[in-house]
Amino acid sequence: MQHAPCDPATLPRPTSLSEVKGWFHSPDQVLFDWFLTRQGEQGQTGDLLEIGAYLGKSAIFMGRYLRPGELFTVCDLFDSPAEDDANSREMNRSYATLTRRAFEANYLSFHDELPAVVQGPSSVITDHVEPGTCRFIHVDASHLYEHVHGDIAAARDLIGEDGILVLDDFRAEHCPGVAAATWGAVATTGLRPLCITATKFYGTWGAYDAVHADLAAMLAGRDDMWHGAEQVAGDPMIRISGRKARLPRQPVSRHREAGAPEHRPLPKNRLRTLLGRR
């Protein structure tokens, strides 16, 4: 693993996860924490993979659950040119400030070492990650159908026994390609839907009943997240709404002021601004 160059005058120095630019809402933080913690409690081993990192918000969160002997790989174009014109237009429109150095500075504000960084299109990820090795994969890359379809196919090859796949933006109105690829995978590849939030889909190609039952029990014990069941492709998928969800324990920044809490809620006007961008 390598360390990023640090220029305090130009690179970000977040004091909390909420200061890292990006979209990672509280119910999804709760679910990431629950799935990754449960894997540890169950003794499930394997690596972590994120395809599409933006400036590192969810990667920083995932990095807390990396155990000795495991590998965390992050794949993103960062400043590299996209592989086709349509993807280039999307990148220029949505992620003009994306840089690898900013990602690295953000990540190293919370962790001592960087993950393994693959800078390039997601289509190359199978050249860098061994088949069947990942226990948790988060895909938040291109919104174009052809690319998402390929990302899901790659995830199926790379995911280990009973691994969890998370797909972002599967129901956003500006991302119909993600929806088509997600539900197409459910219909044709055996991907089984465990739950959905306003922004993310959680599924598995592995054992379903035990993790689904444990998830339902966890949600039943919370008073801050609504949930209901919906039969989808023969499975009792759980729909979750968690606008008031209490955040799990947050990664601690090395730049945090002494005596400051581990996380500070966003001001209401700032929260509305971020939610309005989704």
Side-chain angles (χ1 to χ4, degrees), residues 41 47 61 91 106 113 116 143 146 176 204 211 222 245 256:
E41 293 172 349
D47 298 331
F61 192 90
M91 291 291 294
N106 280 331
E113 293 184 318
H143 296 149
E146 293 80 4
T204 184
V211 64
R222 297 184 70 106
R256 180 169 64 100

Side-chain angles (χ1 to χ4, degrees), residues 8-79:
T10 59
L11 295 179
R13 292 170 56 89
T15 63
S16 66
L17 188 65
S18 65
E19 291 184 5
V20 178
K21 293 181 180 179
W23 306 274
F24 191 31
H25 302 308
S26 52
D28 293 303
Q29 292 190 36
V30 169
L31 290 171
F32 272 53
D33 172 69
W34 185 83
F35 279 112
L36 289 162
T37 298
R38 181 182 184 276
Q39 289 180 336
E41 293 172 349
Q42 297 282 323
Q44 185 175 352
T45 59
D47 298 331
L48 308 180
L49 171 63
E50 180 164 80
I51 301 176
Y54 191 45
L55 295 178
K57 194 162 195 167
S58 54
I60 291 165
F61 192 90
M62 289 173 62
R64 291 180 51 230
Y65 301 88
L66 191 66
R67 301 190 294 254
E70 296 179 341
L71 180 65
F72 182 18
T73 302
V74 170
C75 178
D76 204 294
L77 284 169
F78 294 110
D79 299 309

Side-chain angles (χ1 to χ4, degrees), residues 41 58 75 79 81 99 117 133 161 238 266:
E41 293 172 349
S58 54
C75 178
D79 299 309
T99 70
V117 176
T133 57
E161 183 179 4
I238 302 173
L266 285 171

Side-chain angles (χ1 to χ4, degrees), residues 70-266:
E70 296 179 341
L71 180 65
F72 182 18
T73 302
V74 170
C75 178
D76 204 294
L77 284 169
F78 294 110
D79 299 309
S80 300
E83 56 190 325
D84 56 57
D85 291 341
N87 206 20
S88 291
R89 287 192 296 270
E90 183 191 21
M91 291 291 294
N92 291 337
R93 180 175 66 249
S94 302
Y95 308 109
T97 62
L98 181 61
T99 70
R100 178 169 173 171
R101 293 185 70 224
F103 165 84
E104 291 177 338
N106 280 331
Y107 195 90
L108 292 176
S109 294
F110 297 85
H111 299 285
D112 293 333
E113 293 184 318
L114 290 169
V117 176
V118 177
Q119 183 168 346
S122 58
S123 57
V124 306
I125 192 60
T126 53
D127 295 333
H128 299 270
V129 178
E130 293 295 322
T133 57
C134 296
R135 59 183 170 93
F136 192 92
I137 300 177
H138 178 216
V139 178
D140 186 9
S142 172
H143 296 149
L144 304 178
Y145 171 80
E146 293 80 4
H147 298 164
V148 183
H149 181 271
D151 292 343
I152 294 173
R156 189 180 185 187
D157 289 340
L158 301 177
I159 206 161
E161 183 179 4
D162 301 334
I164 300 297
L165 172 65
V166 186
L167 302 170
D168 186 68
D169 276 334
F170 78 103
R171 60 192 294 182
E173 62 183 8
H174 65 288
C175 305
V178 183
T182 299
W183 296 119
V186 170
T188 64
T189 73
L191 178 63
R192 303 179 70 181
L194 287 162
C195 64
I196 59 172
T197 64
T199 56
K200 296 186 189 293
F201 167 100
Y202 297 75
T204 184
W205 282 285
Y208 184 90
D209 293 342
V211 64
H212 182 275
D214 288 349
L215 175 61
M218 180 276 288
L219 291 167
R222 297 184 70 106
D223 61 3
D224 58 338
M225 295 173 69
W226 176 91
H227 70 287
E230 185 87 21
Q231 286 291 323
V232 176
D235 287 318
M237 184 191 73
I238 302 173
R239 294 184 294 120
I240 299 170
S241 176
R243 293 183 180 181
K244 298 181 180 179
R246 294 183 294 272
L247 289 172
R249 186 170 63 90
Q250 300 286 277
V252 178
S253 170
R254 64 183 76 256
H255 307 304
R256 180 169 64 100
E257 298 176 2
E262 290 192 8
H263 68 85
R264 292 175 293 201
L266 285 171

